[in-house]
Amino acid sequence: MEMSVTEKFKELFNELEGCDEVDQKQKIEEMKRMIDEMNEKEFESVFTTELFENIHKMIILKKFSLKDAISLLMCIGSFNASFIILKSSFESSSLRHIFEIIIIDEEKKKERKNERLLIDLCECCLLLNNYNVDLSKDLLGICIRYLLKVALKKEEDKETQKEVETAILALSCIRKLQKVPKELFLNEIKEIVFYQQEHHNLTPLASRFLWLFLMDRLDNDESLEDVFVNELHLAREVARELEELSKCVDWTRKEKEKENRGKEVKKKFIIRRFLYAFFFFFFSSSKLWNEEFIELIMSIVQVLRASRDNHKETFESCINVIETAAGKKVVKIEAFLKGGAVDAVLEEIQRPTLDDKIAYNGLIFFMNVLYRLKDEEKDEMEEAKRKATKMELFEKMEEEGYEDCIFGFCNCKVESLFDEYIFVPNVERLFVHY
């Protein structure tokens, strides 16, 4: 009977201790190839706290060089970061604590500082962080400083591009909720983004994770919103990234028909990370932004339509993001019309296979839009423009009988996102009083 990939990996790892340096390197390369073949469950079953403790012991006993350990850990970390593995294992290991001590001690040296070691250990600590442990202020400052130094490299040879990609991937692992003072990164990040926009020097993966890092920083610092949106053109750039990612996924294949592994699956996970970041951005922001948000809404709608039949989790995330955006003054109402969101949601609520959660989100989307139109009237919005938007919205809903479809849900009981049944409120008055 053929051994599973996890059994082969464990067997190779157990053989490391008795190998010479050359054999160890060969086995490590083979183990790294195996990691790329694993799915999420296989990965979690192998990379336990016990494994990290064994790596630490082998380093102490000089049966495993620190350089080779880092090589293996970087591969583990890249998988961990790309697939958002949330199981804690490295954080609770002694290896993590030793790495952090080495980083801080090495940084304190005034002479003969090993910068390459510092960068490697910073990347390991962040890539294996799992998003659920706050880094100390000192460690965070060191990691950001050294990794940005790598990310600022502009050479376009493959080796440098890979270094930059790994550094940005590691930076994107800093927790969304962890406060990162903008003084630590803003000027450098702006330089990286501006250079990328002009020269396209970053790999696709590096570019995507750069924007994820930026969107995560918005959670704790509203002062960054204007810089990110109007200077760095966040909405436009992220829309393009999402569009390119969507093209790389075969949405026609059902998730259960394909193994949860490979480059395509990694791209799907990155799409979900983008959608997760959008949700919090729209939820927390209170400003009304520029026309580039039409492009962003269009790209989300594109993923929504593509994922509708076979990728339920991604599809529900898209609906959730659109509904949240409609309830906030981040995106103008016209963007939902021009970006195709109104059409997409209208299509969903009349599908014969409509489920409670989609019905709930769809109806809340329209109620948010209608309330927004009323609020904008109170805010003395340009009347002709408001009336034109309202007329376009209502005509679109009336053409195919969508208005009747929405009324059909009035006072119906549907299951909300909070797993409890609610009554959909009367929406007739919103239509009647406009």
Side-chain angles (χ1 to χ4, degrees), residues 41-90:
K41 289 183 178 179
E42 290 167 341
F43 182 89
E44 289 185 351
S45 72
V46 171
F47 298 105
T48 60
T49 301
E50 182 183 2
L51 181 134
F52 292 115
E53 293 294 351
N54 287 334
I55 291 176
H56 183 208
K57 289 177 184 176
M58 290 169 65
I59 293 171
I60 291 174
L61 295 173
K62 300 191 183 301
K63 294 181 178 180
F64 199 21
S65 72
L66 181 57
K67 183 179 179 180
D68 287 341
I70 288 172
S71 175
L72 179 60
L73 289 167
M74 293 281 276
C75 185
I76 299 169
S78 294
F79 185 107
N80 182 73
S82 298
F83 285 87
I84 325 175
I85 308 298
L86 299 178
K87 182 180 177 182
S88 177
S89 51
F90 177 75

Side-chain angles (χ1 to χ4, degrees), residues 70 74 113-123 146-147 150 153 163:
I70 288 172
M74 293 281 276
K113 190 178 297 186
N114 190 335
E115 193 167 304
R116 183 67 257 173
L117 177 63
L118 269 169
I119 292 167
D120 288 343
L121 293 181
C122 285
E123 288 175 343
Y146 280 97
L147 297 189
V150 176
K153 291 183 178 181
E163 287 180 18

Side-chain angles (χ1 to χ4, degrees), residues 26 35 50 105 182 185 251 320 324 345 347 387 392:
Q26 290 178 345
I35 293 171
E50 182 183 2
D105 288 348
K182 60 186 175 185
F185 69 90
W251 299 105
N320 202 11
T324 301
V345 178
E347 290 168 13
K387 285 184 176 180
E392 183 179 354

Side-chain angles (χ1 to χ4, degrees), residues 155-332:
E155 296 85 353
E156 295 188 20
D157 60 279
K158 287 186 178 180
E159 185 177 345
T160 302
Q161 284 190 322
K162 185 62 180 176
E163 287 180 18
V164 171
E165 179 181 282
T166 304
I168 293 175
L169 180 60
L171 286 168
S172 76
C173 294
I174 298 172
R175 291 186 75 231
K176 174 185 283 290
L177 298 177
Q178 182 150 21
K179 177 76 173 174
V180 180
K182 60 186 175 185
E183 294 78 17
L184 285 178
F185 69 90
L186 186 55
N187 289 336
E188 292 84 353
I189 284 291
K190 286 171 69 174
E191 182 179 341
I192 293 168
V193 171
F194 289 146
Y195 193 84
Q196 161 67 0
Q197 288 172 343
E198 185 176 354
H199 299 280
H200 307 287
N201 63 308
L202 298 180
T203 65
L205 188 63
S207 180
R208 288 156 191 165
F209 278 94
L210 176 64
W211 288 108
L212 284 167
F213 169 80
L214 290 174
M215 284 192 288
D216 281 350
R217 304 288 68 80
L218 285 169
D219 244 21
N220 280 301
D221 194 342
E222 290 185 4
S223 69
L224 293 170
E225 289 180 0
D226 190 56
V227 175
F228 287 5
V229 173
N230 293 318
E231 286 189 50
L232 303 184
H233 301 283
L234 181 147
R236 182 191 71 196
E237 297 296 330
V238 173
R240 290 176 183 174
E241 297 291 356
L242 197 59
E243 185 177 347
E244 290 302 313
L245 276 167
S246 183
K247 291 176 182 177
C248 299
V249 176
D250 183 0
W251 299 105
T252 63
R253 295 173 62 184
K254 293 184 179 180
E255 288 182 303
K256 292 181 180 179
E257 292 177 355
K258 59 190 296 186
E259 291 192 51
N260 190 23
R261 66 181 85 229
K263 291 181 179 179
E264 183 180 318
V265 175
K266 183 182 288 188
K267 289 179 172 64
K268 189 174 68 177
F269 271 84
I270 298 172
I271 287 175
R272 288 184 188 171
R273 276 199 65 186
F274 271 124
L275 294 171
Y276 183 70
F278 297 158
F279 174 84
F280 282 98
F281 171 69
F282 289 136
F283 185 80
S284 60
S285 183
S286 60
K287 296 181 180 179
L288 192 61
W289 293 116
N290 57 41
E291 297 300 315
E292 292 176 0
F293 275 87
I294 295 174
E295 296 180 48
L296 181 53
I297 294 298
M298 288 177 67
S299 67
I300 295 171
V301 169
Q302 179 184 0
V303 174
L304 182 151
R305 293 182 188 279
S307 62
R308 171 189 290 147
D309 296 323
N310 300 315
H311 299 261
K312 185 178 180 181
E313 187 175 343
T314 302
F315 170 72
E316 289 181 348
S317 295
C318 290
I319 291 281
N320 202 11
V321 169
I322 290 171
E323 177 248 300
T324 301
K328 298 288 183 178
K329 292 186 177 181
V330 185
V331 181
K332 295 178 182 179

Side-chain angles (χ1 to χ4, degrees), residues 338-354:
K338 294 177 181 178
V342 171
D343 286 329
V345 178
L346 285 171
E347 290 168 13
E348 291 311 313
I349 63 174
Q350 68 162 357
R351 281 164 63 89
T353 55
L354 179 69

